[in-house]
Amino acid sequence: MKRRLATLRAATVAALAAAATALPGSFAGAQVPAAAPATSGPATAAAPGRTAPATPAALGDALLFAMADAAGGLELWRADAAGGSPRRLKDIQPGTEGSYPSGFTRLGDALLFTANDGSSGLELWRTDGTEAGTRRVADLNAGTADSLPNAMVAFGNRLIFSADDGRHGFELWSSTGDEAGTRLLADLNPGAGGSAPRGFTVVGERLFFIADDGRHGAELWTSDGSAAGTRRVKDIRPGPAASQPQQLVALGGRLFFVADDGRHGPELWTSDGTEAGTRLVGDLRPGPAGAGPRYLTAMGDALYFAADDGRQGVELWSADADGRRLRQVADIAPGPAHAVPSHLTAVGGMLYFSANDGLHGAELWATDGRREGTRLVADLQPGPQPSAPSRLQAHQGRLLFAALSPGLGHELHASDGTAAGTRLLADLNPGPAGSFPHDYVAVGGQLFFVADGPGGLTALWRLDAQGTVLPVGSPP
């Protein structure tokens, strides 16, 4: 069991690392300069006797998260927006091994998640925020084996997820949050191989996802929540080869995504859920290399993304909600140079992102969708040195983000979209090391997040309604 858990964690880390390195630097095979230096920081350390808080999620006026202290392993904890010190909500697996709660997903008035109680492996659990209301939903892979529920999403009044019951491989499952209402929804690849469904995205009354039925490779699928209503949308790359759909995003009743049909390379596609209505939006970079769209983000009635057309480098593009028209928003780094727009985040009617115009380094930019409305917001590190904005988050009408500024590491900044209104919000880890704020979650009018404090110790912090940043556990 311990060996299998260790293998799972190692595989997850490797997959995340591969996904991260495949983003800005992989556009159509181009040698693209990084938009920003690495922002992961040093290996995190927590307060003595504790691990760093992980996977926080909101439930009512509380924040639930995973953490370990000297008394036990990685378990389920709770912090209240009203104040007070965080407390362990439930010791799901007593002792030092820990239950490793993760994947918190809201369904009605509960959070569903994965945990291991030591007797039933990593299985589906639920909590209403109380110790008594925290319980295992179902032991899908009976005994100590793991079913490893993952890729969870709320769809109507049900949770849709991928899990392995030990007989079907990773397949499509559904749950109402109780054992009686938890069932295999569809066995798309019969046998132990599994179809590995993932990328669940809700568009209106349909759910889109990626799966491999063992005959057509990884392709686009859809479901209405029933077995009969679960089907492959289109074999975009005919035959056993996979089109590998990714970055599924909903906009205006349609799904937008990136796929490779074997002729055009990775390009932007759209679907209304029918085979006839699933099509290539545009071939931005003719040929098999493809434009490699990244950071797909919906704002208003348009989809924004970064792509390389093979002539003007990696720049900012948009598509209309019908998927009929593509246009370049702006050539931020003129000519064949790469601006590498990244971390696209909508706040109100403005889209914020990091980009490098070749003069200022990677800095904070904004656009209203027009060429003339695309501008540098602030040059936090004057000159060619980058401030490397990352971890962008909309909060109460303004933007929060991590960035470098002279003499400081990556710290929490805020912006109202103007240079004068873009400022350092808090220097949580004084000096050049930085605090690397991340995992923002809004709870009860406050914003909770994880960041390194003095000495690099990772902890929970909160931004209160007055704009003050405080460690969780301090008086409200």
Side-chain angles (χ1 to χ4, degrees):
M1 178 66 182
K2 291 182 179 179
R3 180 178 298 175
R4 185 174 184 183
L5 285 171
T7 302
L8 170 65
R9 292 174 199 132
T12 301
V13 170
L16 290 172
T21 57
L23 287 175
S26 64
F27 289 90
Q31 294 299 312
V32 180
T39 57
S40 59
T44 56
R50 290 186 175 182
T51 63
T55 64
L59 182 62
D61 287 332
L63 183 81
L64 273 61
F65 56 97
M67 192 170 72
D69 65 4
L74 198 69
E75 289 293 351
L76 183 62
W77 286 64
R78 171 180 174 137
D80 294 309
S85 297
R87 68 183 190 277
R88 187 188 297 107
L89 180 61
K90 188 180 182 75
D91 193 5
I92 294 173
Q93 182 172 173
T96 58
E97 180 68 16
S99 64
Y100 288 88
S102 63
F104 299 113
T105 304
R106 184 73 178 263
L107 184 67
D109 58 358
L111 283 179
L112 274 71
F113 61 100
T114 300
N116 179 3
D117 63 5
S119 60
S120 58
L122 284 163
E123 296 291 348
L124 187 65
W125 284 66
R126 66 167 288 153
T127 183
D128 62 3
T130 68
E131 181 176 10
T134 302
R135 57 178 173 77
R136 191 183 67 220
V137 174
D139 186 9
L140 301 181
N141 197 347
T144 58
D146 312 307
S147 71
L148 299 172
N150 65 91
M152 295 183 251
V153 66
F155 182 50
N157 63 350
R158 304 186 70 86
L159 184 81
I160 304 296
F161 61 102
S162 173
D164 179 0
D165 64 0
R167 294 181 295 121
H168 299 93
F170 283 98
E171 286 293 353
L172 192 65
W173 286 74
S174 171
S175 178
T176 56
D178 55 24
E179 186 170 14
T182 302
R183 59 183 173 83
L184 179 67
L185 178 58
D187 186 10
L188 305 180
N189 185 9
S195 65
R198 58 199 182 276
F200 298 121
T201 303
V202 178
V203 182
E205 296 182 353
R206 297 209 67 85
L207 181 73
F208 289 86
F209 61 99
I210 306 150
D212 182 349
D213 64 3
R215 300 183 305 280
H216 301 91
E219 294 290 350
L220 185 66
W221 288 67
T222 187
S223 178
D224 62 3
S226 70
T230 301
R231 55 179 172 78
R232 190 180 67 251
V233 176
K234 183 171 185 171
D235 189 10
I236 294 171
R237 187 167 187 168
S243 69
Q244 297 289 359
Q246 55 183 304
Q247 302 181 74
L248 280 60
V249 174
L251 173 65
R254 298 189 67 89
L255 180 80
F256 288 81
F257 59 101
V258 177
D260 182 352
D261 64 2
R263 295 183 296 122
H264 300 95
E267 293 285 358
L268 185 66
W269 286 68
T270 186
S271 178
D272 62 2
T274 68
E275 183 174 8
T278 302
R279 53 181 169 78
L280 179 69
V281 175
D283 189 9
L284 283 181
R285 185 172 185 171
R294 292 290 185 271
Y295 300 109
L296 275 61
T297 304
M299 184 181 77
D301 58 358
L303 181 82
Y304 295 86
F305 57 97
D308 183 357
D309 66 359
R311 295 176 293 109
Q312 296 173 298
V314 182
E315 295 292 349
L316 187 65
W317 291 75
S318 72
D320 63 14
D322 291 331
R324 297 289 180 186
R325 188 168 70 96
L326 289 173
R327 66 180 180 87
Q328 187 184 77
V329 176
D331 188 11
I332 295 169
H338 305 283
V340 195
S342 55
H343 311 296
L344 278 60
T345 303
V347 183
M350 295 296 293
L351 184 76
Y352 292 88
F353 55 97
S354 171
N356 184 347
D357 64 1
L359 299 174
H360 301 93
E363 294 289 351
L364 184 65
W365 284 68
T367 185
D368 61 5
R370 302 173 301 144
R371 188 178 303 273
E372 60 272 24
T374 303
R375 56 184 170 78
L376 175 69
V377 174
D379 189 11
L380 295 177
Q381 288 264 65
Q385 292 299 313
S387 68
S390 64
R391 293 151 182 184
L392 278 62
Q393 174 73 28
H395 180 60
Q396 297 180 345
R398 63 176 176 169
L399 180 77
L400 301 181
F401 61 102
L404 297 164
S405 52
L408 303 178
H410 278 84
E411 292 291 352
L412 187 63
H413 287 68
S415 179
D416 62 3
T418 67
T422 301
R423 61 184 180 86
L424 176 70
L425 200 58
D427 183 14
L428 300 180
N429 187 14
S435 66
F436 300 94
H438 60 284
D439 283 347
Y440 309 102
V441 180
V443 181
Q446 302 183 76
L447 189 74
F448 288 76
F449 61 96
V450 179
D452 295 351
L457 299 179
T458 307
L460 272 176
W461 300 77
R462 59 185 175 89
L463 176 66
D464 68 14
Q466 289 71 46
T468 303
V469 177
L470 300 165
V472 170
S474 59

